[in-house]
Amino acid sequence: MIGKLQLLGEDDFRPFMDNTIRPWIQETMEEGYLAAADGLKLHYCCLPNPQEIGRIMIMHGYCEFFGKYHELSWYLWQQGYGIYFLEQRGHGYSDRDGVENDMVYVSDFNEYVEDQKLFYDTIVSKDAKSPIFLLAHSMGGLVGARYIEKYPDDFKRVILSSPLLKMNSGNIPAFATYILVFYSILARKQKAYIPGHGAFDGVRNFIGSSTKSEARYNYTFDQRLLDKHYQTYSACYAWSRAALRAVRQAQRDVGKVKNEILLLQAGQDHMVKIEGQDRFASKLKDCKLVRFPEARHEIFNSLMEDREKYYKEILSFLKKE
């Protein structure tokens, strides 16, 4: 229990999602499409709050979609926040740029940034009479970092949850990653899968996942199985090159950030390198770095102790004077 916020456990999670939260989303959600600068259609979901004390714009991570954030949206909406969520290009029901549903492609992360700016200007800030906050996770954290470096006045405060601020290439040395990306340009394989990646196979792998909650892992995976739009699964060379470049730019331009930042870091993160987060945080003017030593990449899908701390930190940060 956090104030008036009652967190779900493992056993009660799925029944409450199916019987309470999903019907609430269907009743409350407003959705639509925006046309990006290059003509791609971008899908968004909004949960307006009649008792609004603030608006939260969520930037999701790599291969994610709105359905992964149902629980988080419920908790924050219960606290008085309107929720605004754009499915980034190549994800969910937003258009793909010439690739299959299971491949993530973008030529430059500035495309993500400008998509989010369009969403902010057109939908999020429209008729807003309360503060607007940003909550950005993983790849969305890198997009969010680039956004606030370019548009520092749009958000009152910013939460970066396990942000991608240094790539994790696994057992591949950093220099080899750059060589592979350079090779892809010469070989014109920009829209080919990177090594170790491929089409969505429909096989569960909770043990190797980014969460410690099996109930939450299955909730997201079940949505993937039922809808091809949610089967985004793997990166291509072009996305990897764009991400590497965006990380360098984010670290270079960190001095442009004027916002107050809450950075939430997972100690057992195998998706991103946490030293990139440490470096970024050390250069910010106003940043609180909170570590979760036992959590995997998705802290909001961790075990109860970490999730209680996660939401406590977020709500305290949002509501501070």
Side-chain angles (χ1 to χ4, degrees):
M1 188 79 171
I2 304 173
K4 296 181 180 180
L5 183 60
Q6 181 70 53
L7 296 185
L8 299 171
E10 280 292 294
D11 295 338
D12 61 347
F13 172 78
R14 192 57 179 263
F16 196 83
M17 295 299 297
D18 291 342
N19 299 324
T20 300
I21 294 184
R22 295 192 76 152
W24 161 74
I25 287 172
Q26 292 174 1
E27 180 180 340
T28 308
M29 184 173 69
E30 299 175 0
E31 60 182 326
Y33 289 88
L34 296 172
D38 58 359
L40 291 187
K41 291 191 303 179
L42 306 173
H43 178 243
Y44 65 85
C45 306
C46 303
L47 297 166
N49 196 316
Q51 278 77 50
E52 180 181 288
I53 64 171
R55 296 184 177 185
I56 299 176
M57 181 170 161
I58 298 175
M59 295 186 187
H60 68 79
Y62 162 79
C63 294
E64 295 182 344
F65 52 95
F66 180 57
K68 195 168 190 173
Y69 291 81
H70 286 170
E71 181 187 19
L72 182 146
S73 297
W74 165 262
Y75 293 148
L76 296 178
W77 194 89
Q78 291 291 317
Q79 296 295 306
Y81 298 97
I83 305 300
Y84 294 80
F85 192 105
L86 179 72
E87 290 185 324
Q88 307 208 60
R89 58 175 57 213
H91 294 78
Y93 275 80
S94 290
D95 281 350
R96 276 87 173 142
D97 188 0
V99 296
E100 298 300 322
N101 283 328
D102 43 21
M103 179 181 286
V104 181
Y105 167 78
V106 74
S107 62
D108 192 293
F109 265 56
N110 195 55
E111 295 172 17
Y112 290 138
V113 172
E114 291 308 311
D115 291 345
Q116 295 287 356
K117 179 60 174 172
L118 174 67
F119 180 51
Y120 178 94
D121 288 343
T122 306
I123 304 296
V124 182
S125 63
K126 184 178 180 181
D127 301 324
K129 296 179 175 61
S130 61
I132 301 174
F133 304 92
L134 173 63
L135 194 166
H137 169 68
S138 190
M139 181 194 84
L142 177 54
V143 177
R146 295 298 293 142
Y147 187 107
I148 59 178
E149 288 170 348
K150 190 171 184 179
Y151 304 109
D153 298 320
D154 283 359
F155 300 108
K156 182 174 182 180
R157 297 190 190 97
V158 173
I159 301 162
L160 301 178
S161 178
S162 304
L164 167 57
L165 292 166
K166 185 175 181 180
M167 300 281 283
N168 187 350
S169 303
N171 296 323
I172 303 175
F175 73 89
T177 302
Y178 284 97
I179 291 172
L180 283 171
V181 170
F182 183 68
Y183 158 76
S184 73
I185 299 172
L186 295 179
R188 297 183 179 180
K189 291 187 175 182
Q190 292 284 68
K191 291 184 178 180
Y193 293 114
I194 61 174
H197 287 231
F200 178 71
D201 58 12
V203 177
R204 297 178 197 268
N205 182 19
F206 168 65
I207 299 300
S209 74
S210 298
T211 170
K212 287 194 171 181
S213 168
E214 190 166 8
R216 288 162 178 80
Y217 173 84
N218 285 330
Y219 180 76
T220 299
F221 201 88
D222 287 347
Q223 293 178 74
R224 291 190 190 280
L225 290 176
L226 292 172
D227 194 327
K228 67 179 183 179
H229 295 89
Y230 301 150
Q231 293 175 3
T232 312
Y233 196 65
S234 297
C236 64
Y237 282 103
W239 182 91
S240 300
R241 178 170 177 260
L244 287 167
R245 184 168 58 245
V247 165
R248 293 197 304 271
Q249 293 169 337
Q251 297 287 0
R252 179 197 66 198
D253 295 341
V254 63
K256 296 180 180 179
V257 176
K258 299 191 298 185
N259 311 80
E260 187 178 356
I261 307 292
L262 173 64
L263 198 157
L264 305 169
Q265 182 183 90
Q268 298 181 17
D269 199 324
H270 67 281
M271 296 298 293
V272 304
K273 293 284 191 180
I274 62 175
E275 52 261 39
Q277 299 166 6
D278 291 337
R279 179 185 174 194
F280 191 80
S282 70
K283 296 181 179 180
L284 290 168
K285 299 179 180 69
D286 191 349
C287 178
K288 180 180 181 182
L289 174 59
V290 181
R291 294 182 171 89
F292 297 77
E294 302 303 316
R296 294 180 188 168
H297 185 60
E298 296 171 14
I299 309 171
F300 54 91
N301 284 333
S302 191
L303 299 180
M304 179 65 84
E305 183 177 355
D306 281 331
R307 288 189 292 110
E308 286 181 339
K309 178 180 175 183
Y310 184 82
Y311 285 107
K312 181 178 179 180
E313 291 288 350
I314 286 176
L315 293 175
S316 296
F317 183 70
L318 291 175
K319 294 179 178 180
K320 67 185 293 187
E321 294 298 326

